[in-house]
Amino acid sequence: MAEQRRKGHREPVRVTQSEQAPATGAFRAGDLFQLLRDGRPWTRAQLAMTTGLARSTVAGKVDSLLRSGLVVPVGDAQSSGGRPASRFAFEPRARTVLAADIGASHVRVALTDLTGRVLAEERAEMPVAAGPEALLRYVVDSGKRLLAESHRPDQLAGVGIGLPGPVQHTTGRPIKPPIMPGWDGFDVVGLVQAALPAPVLVDNDVNIMALGERAGYWPDVDNLLFVKVATGIGSGVISSGQLQRGSDGTAGDLGHVRAARAEDTVCRCGNTGCLEAIASGDAVARFLAAQGLDTATGADVVALAENGNVAAIQALRQAGRDIGEVLATCVNLLNPSMIVIGGSMAAAGEHLMAGVREVVYHRSPPLATTNLRIVLSRAGDRAATMGASQLVCQHILSPEGVETELAGMAGVG
């Protein structure tokens, strides 16, 4: 069997009707492309065997994909006699994606290929409170610079944007974001699309961080909870391989779940007792400042801990316990196999993680934690741009997205 694989043999793959086609039952080129997304070379014969389609049908759809540039020839397969069969594979460099991460105090814009690989990027320190026009203008201007420098300005497939607040995913409009004055209901898609004519997709930053972390480092983990601990606290929920947004896009808003130790502490949302009010970077900084330490932000807390300050280390450990209290409930409810801790406070490393693990493993039933891993983010501060790129790639490389691309080419032709 190993020898067969070395010679290009591919085991037949059963393709279900739901994977093959839309409700009409017609197998489209976009459906066929999903098999090619694995990046490995295929022949027309292998595709015909896998799908059960006639070779002539497969050949026509492959030719359409080749004309789009999404698929390219990669040489001939080894011949067992006669003319060798030509092979082709997905070409991730066929298009580019602009991915923007707008945080509480920064903007990062990256140019990627269709796998999310970063080709170039720019970053600026800008407060989100400066308003949507200023920050989105930076995204547009930076994006145009990166496209021009890539010498491929006409290959833009789409723009993905992450925002640090609730987003109505269907429209891309922020909905009453607590730290984003002037952004409520703003037409983010309209402003960006007017300057960069391509699909524009917008989501909450923690959702796209979950997408980026999983795609980059844990592609085989289908049940993952990404927790961002920074100015605020939130999570992105991936269940059965799919990002869960909920009915209105607010799924995973851990920061405003009640925590026992918060008691009557007032949160910026106006309620009392929220986890964010005692365990976010700003909350820990306020707690230490009240003890006489020079801490204005979460970064100050992390710096003190790194220098061995006992009060800062103890405060971070307690914040981890508070977060773990809420996560234990999430583990019981969602049964993830992995919890990833990211955001600026993740730089505190094991000081924060120790508290999280202590409570989650203690408060959750053994069956739910037997295979549970709690780890620090590997993507770090690039998780959001990686996820914004994935947001676009999943959209444009879906069966429907590829069909739209091919239909546009036919219209131009």
Side-chain angles (χ1 to χ4, degrees):
M1 181 63 70
E3 181 64 25
Q4 287 179 315
R5 281 195 291 266
R6 281 194 293 273
K7 291 183 178 181
H9 177 79
R10 193 184 300 272
E11 288 295 313
V13 178
R14 182 177 298 277
V15 182
T16 67
Q17 181 65 25
S18 62
E19 291 171 325
Q20 287 183 358
T24 60
F27 198 106
R28 306 163 298 178
D31 301 304
L32 189 70
F33 177 76
Q34 304 311 303
L35 294 175
L36 294 163
R37 285 184 66 178
D38 64 6
R40 295 180 297 166
W42 288 72
T43 66
R44 290 172 175 83
Q46 288 169 336
L47 287 172
M49 179 182 299
T50 298
T51 62
L53 297 173
R55 288 197 183 191
S56 59
T57 301
V58 168
K61 299 183 188 308
V62 168
D63 288 344
S64 295
L65 293 170
L66 287 167
R67 286 194 296 272
S68 75
L70 292 172
V71 170
V72 294
V74 292
D76 296 333
Q78 185 172 341
S79 174
S80 57
R83 183 177 179 180
S86 58
R87 302 189 304 169
F88 38 85
F90 170 46
E91 174 52 270
R93 297 169 296 180
R95 306 286 189 276
T96 56
V97 173
L98 282 173
D101 164 29
I102 297 177
S105 59
H106 74 272
V107 184
R108 185 194 297 269
V109 181
L111 184 71
T112 79
D113 66 13
L114 293 178
T115 64
R117 184 174 69 90
V118 174
L119 307 175
E121 64 179 3
E122 291 187 4
R123 177 189 167 107
E125 298 300 317
M126 298 179 68
V128 72
E133 289 89 353
L135 273 74
L136 294 176
R137 180 52 54 193
Y138 175 83
V139 170
V140 167
D141 292 345
S142 178
K144 286 181 175 179
R145 283 192 297 272
L146 294 175
L147 286 166
E149 291 167 3
S150 75
H151 304 295
R152 300 165 63 194
D154 58 339
Q155 295 300 311
L156 179 63
V159 182
I161 301 173
L163 298 177
V167 173
Q168 187 178 50
H169 181 66
T170 54
T171 65
R173 293 175 183 263
I175 304 299
K176 295 182 172 57
I179 63 168
M180 301 170 64
W183 287 80
D184 185 26
F186 190 84
D187 186 7
V188 175
V189 172
L191 188 152
V192 175
Q193 205 164 49
L196 296 168
V200 177
L201 302 177
V202 186
D203 207 337
N204 173 269
D205 60 349
V206 190
N207 282 344
I208 65 170
M209 291 171 84
L211 289 176
E213 185 79 28
R214 179 177 184 250
Y217 299 96
W218 315 103
D220 297 326
V221 177
D222 286 339
N223 297 282
L224 179 148
L225 189 64
F226 185 96
V227 182
K228 177 186 176 183
V229 186
T231 304
I233 299 176
S235 71
V237 181
I238 293 177
S239 180
S240 299
Q242 299 296 316
L243 179 64
Q244 305 299 315
R245 296 185 174 90
S247 62
D248 297 307
T250 64
D253 193 1
L254 295 186
H256 303 289
V257 173
R258 187 169 182 82
R261 198 175 65 87
E263 297 181 350
D264 297 325
T265 304
V266 179
C267 179
R268 63 183 176 180
C269 73
N271 288 327
T272 58
C274 295
L275 173 66
E276 190 173 293
I278 57 169
S280 67
D282 285 1
V284 177
R286 287 194 300 271
F287 171 76
L288 291 173
Q291 297 184 28
L293 295 177
D294 185 16
T295 52
T297 66
D300 297 332
V301 176
V302 172
L304 282 177
E306 289 176 342
N307 289 323
N309 184 280
V310 175
I313 291 171
Q314 291 177 336
L316 286 167
R317 179 73 67 93
Q318 182 57 54
R321 293 189 189 101
D322 294 326
I323 294 167
E325 176 190 333
V326 172
L327 288 180
T329 301
C330 295
V331 169
N332 294 339
L333 182 66
L334 301 172
N335 189 206
S337 59
M338 177 169 286
I339 296 175
V340 181
I341 307 295
S344 58
M345 296 299 286
E350 289 305 314
H351 298 312
L352 184 72
M353 294 290 286
V356 173
R357 292 190 180 112
E358 174 188 335
V359 176
V360 169
Y361 287 119
H362 176 70
R363 295 283 299 274
S364 303
L367 183 59
T369 56
T370 298
N371 298 308
L372 174 65
R373 288 179 287 173
I374 304 176
V375 301
L376 285 170
S377 169
R378 292 189 181 181
D381 61 2
R382 285 190 167 85
T385 47
M386 291 170 63
S389 176
Q390 284 298 315
L391 191 67
V392 174
C393 292
Q394 289 179 6
H395 174 71
I396 64 173
L397 297 181
S398 67
E400 293 73 19
V402 173
E403 285 299 307
T404 298
E405 168 80 7
L406 298 179
M409 290 175 50
V412 171

